[in-house]
Amino acid sequence: MTAPEPTGARVRLRPEIAALPPYRQGRPAPADGFKLSSNENPFGPLPSVVEVVAAAAHDINRYPDATALALRERLAVRFGVTADEVLVGAGSVALLAQFILAAAAPGDEVVYSWRSFEAYPGLVTVAGATSVMVPNRADHGHDLDAMAAAITDRTRVVIVCSPNNPTGVVVTAAEFEAFMAKVPADRLVLLDEAYAEFVRGGGSDDDAVDGATLIGRYPNLVLLRTFSKAYGLAGLRVGYAIGPVELLDAARATAIPLGVTAAAASAAIASLEPAAEAELLERVGAIADRRDRVHAALVAQGWPVPPARSNFVWLPAGEATTAVAERLFDAGIVTRAFAPDGIRISIGEAESVDILLTILGELVPGSQEGDPQ
C-alpha cells in the first residue's frame, strides 16, 4: 500500500501537553567540577548493595515481581503495617503521578504550595487537572492556613512537601495536625517526605512532622518516601507509599506495570539490612553536618537563607538568580536555578564547600562586590 502524501497537517495532541515543558535535569558538571543541582547523595553505593545489583543482572531476561512483595514486606514490618498498606514505585515522583491520576480528572483541582517540587505542575497537567498554587510564606515554608482555605468542591488532592523542595523548610507536627483538622476527609492528602531522613540539626529535631507517626490516624493520608536520597539509590528509581489499602489500590490501578526492577528492589532491601543502614545513616549525618556548615557560613555572609533541614540549601537570590548561578557554574559549581526566585544548592562533596562559599561570599547582595551582572 502506498503511503499517503504528506499534507502538512500536524498530529493532534492535547494542547496543554504540547505546551508543557518537559522535566529537565540539572546541567552536567565539568570534569573537574561539582554537580550540586540534583540533590544526589555524593557518597558512592555500598559494596553490599553493588553485590546484590550485580547478582540481579543474571536474571534480567526475566520480569521482576510486579508488586515488589519482598520489599513491601520488609517495609511493612518497619512501619507496623501490612504489606497491602505499602506500595512500591519507580521513585516517589512516579507514585505521586499514580495518586494524582487516581484521584484527579479534568475539571478537578490539586492544591500545593509554591514554590515547591518542580514536577508537581507537570504531573497535575498530565492528569488533566488544574493546579492551585498557594504562595509560600515569607519564610519560604508552606502557608497551610492558606492551603486549607484554597480547598474547594473541585479539590481532589492536596500535596504537602516536608522538608519542602527546593526551600528546605519543614512543616511542623503541630502545623500539620491543625491542617488535617481543616481538610475534608474525602480529599486525598499526600505527604511528600522524600528528604525525611535529613531532618536533623538546624532546629529542634522533634518539631518536624513525621509521617511514620501518623500512620492509621487519617483515612485520607498517604505518606511518600524514597530510597533515592538518603539511601543513595537515585539511579535505580525506587520509592514507596504507605496508607490505606483502598487508596493504594487506586494508585496501583494507574501504574505502568513492572515499573520497579528486580535490581532496584534488591538494592533497597540490602540497604535496609542493619549494618548497611547504619552506615548509610552515618553518611546522612555527615551530609547534614556539612549542610549546617554551609548554612551557617551563608548566614554569616549576609545571605537571607531559610533554615535548612534537607540535603540542600535555598539561596533566595531573586532577580540575581541567573547571574549568581552562572558565576557559580564558571567556578565549576553546578546548581539548580529557579529564576527569578532563587537557587537550590545540593550538599555534595566536601571539596566543593570552600569553592562554593568563596564565590557566594563575593556575591552577597549589597556587598562591596555588588550584585552580579
Side-chain angles (χ1 to χ4, degrees), residues 99 103-104 107-111 147-160 176 179-191 218-222 244 246-247:
F99 282 104
D108 296 333
E109 295 177 343
V110 178
V111 175
M147 289 177 65
I151 296 173
T152 70
D153 290 341
R154 297 174 59 188
T155 304
R156 294 296 177 269
V157 183
V158 183
I159 307 172
V160 175
F176 190 77
F179 173 71
M180 289 301 291
K182 299 175 184 177
V183 177
D186 61 351
R187 314 302 163 86
L188 174 62
V189 178
L190 301 176
L191 178 56
Y218 302 101
N220 60 333
L221 176 65
V222 173
E246 65 174 9
L247 299 182

Side-chain angles (χ1 to χ4, degrees), residues 126-146:
V126 169
T130 300
S131 287
V132 177
M133 300 177 173
V134 178
N136 288 333
R137 299 179 311 221
D139 66 357
H140 306 285
H142 282 30
D143 187 341
L144 290 180
D145 288 337

Side-chain angles (χ1 to χ4, degrees), residues 97-99 101-102 249-256:
Q98 291 172 227
F99 282 104
L101 283 169
D249 282 347
R252 288 184 179 102
T254 69
I256 296 174

Side-chain angles (χ1 to χ4, degrees), residues 260-316:
V260 178
T261 67
S266 297
I269 292 171
S271 299
L272 293 173
E273 290 296 325
E277 187 170 36
E279 185 172 353
L280 289 167
L281 294 182
E282 184 177 342
R283 293 176 171 188
V284 168
I287 293 170
D289 289 343
R290 197 172 299 161
R291 172 203 67 202
D292 291 345
R293 176 191 165 194
V294 170
H295 180 270
L298 292 175
V299 171
Q301 289 178 354
W303 285 100
V305 290
R309 306 290 292 279
S310 190
N311 67 336
F312 53 84
V313 294
W314 175 246
L315 194 75

Side-chain angles (χ1 to χ4, degrees), residues 59-296:
D59 295 316
I60 59 174
N61 58 309
R62 305 293 184 185
Y63 285 117
D65 172 9
T67 70
L69 178 60
L71 177 55
R72 289 193 295 118
E73 289 177 335
R74 179 66 68 89
L75 291 168
V77 171
R78 163 163 300 205
F79 288 95
V81 297
T82 68
D84 288 340
E85 293 171 286
V86 182
L87 175 62
V88 173
S92 56
V93 68
L95 293 167
L96 281 161
Q98 291 172 227
F99 282 104
I100 293 170
L101 283 169
D108 296 333
E109 295 177 343
V110 178
V111 175
Y112 52 87
S113 191
W114 196 255
R115 176 172 291 276
S116 194
F117 183 30
E118 62 190 294
Y120 293 160
L123 297 178
V124 174
T125 298
V126 169
T130 300
S131 287
V132 177
M133 300 177 173
V134 178
N136 288 333
R137 299 179 311 221
D139 66 357
H140 306 285
H142 282 30
D143 187 341
L144 290 180
D145 288 337
M147 289 177 65
I151 296 173
T152 70
D153 290 341
R154 297 174 59 188
T155 304
R156 294 296 177 269
V157 183
V158 183
I159 307 172
V160 175
C161 185
S162 181
N164 185 45
N165 175 15
T167 66
V169 179
V170 298
V171 171
T172 70
E175 287 172 340
F176 190 77
E177 185 172 351
F179 173 71
M180 289 301 291
K182 299 175 184 177
V183 177
D186 61 351
R187 314 302 163 86
L188 174 62
V189 178
L190 301 176
L191 178 56
D192 185 353
E193 291 189 303
Y195 303 91
E197 293 84 0
F198 295 95
V199 180
R200 54 178 74 191
S204 175
D205 283 347
D206 62 359
D207 66 350
V209 64
D210 179 359
T213 67
L214 303 175
I215 294 171
R217 285 188 56 186
Y218 302 101
N220 60 333
L221 176 65
V222 173
L223 161 68
L224 299 170
R225 292 191 179 182
T226 183
F227 286 92
S228 295
K229 314 302 181 184
Y231 292 86
L233 302 183
L236 288 175
R237 311 307 302 129
V238 55
Y240 60 96
I242 299 175
V245 174
E246 65 174 9
L247 299 182
L248 301 196
D249 282 347
R252 288 184 179 102
T254 69
I256 296 174
L258 305 165
V260 178
T261 67
S266 297
I269 292 171
S271 299
L272 293 173
E273 290 296 325
E277 187 170 36
E279 185 172 353
L280 289 167
L281 294 182
E282 184 177 342
R283 293 176 171 188
V284 168
I287 293 170
D289 289 343
R290 197 172 299 161
R291 172 203 67 202
D292 291 345
R293 176 191 165 194
V294 170
H295 180 270

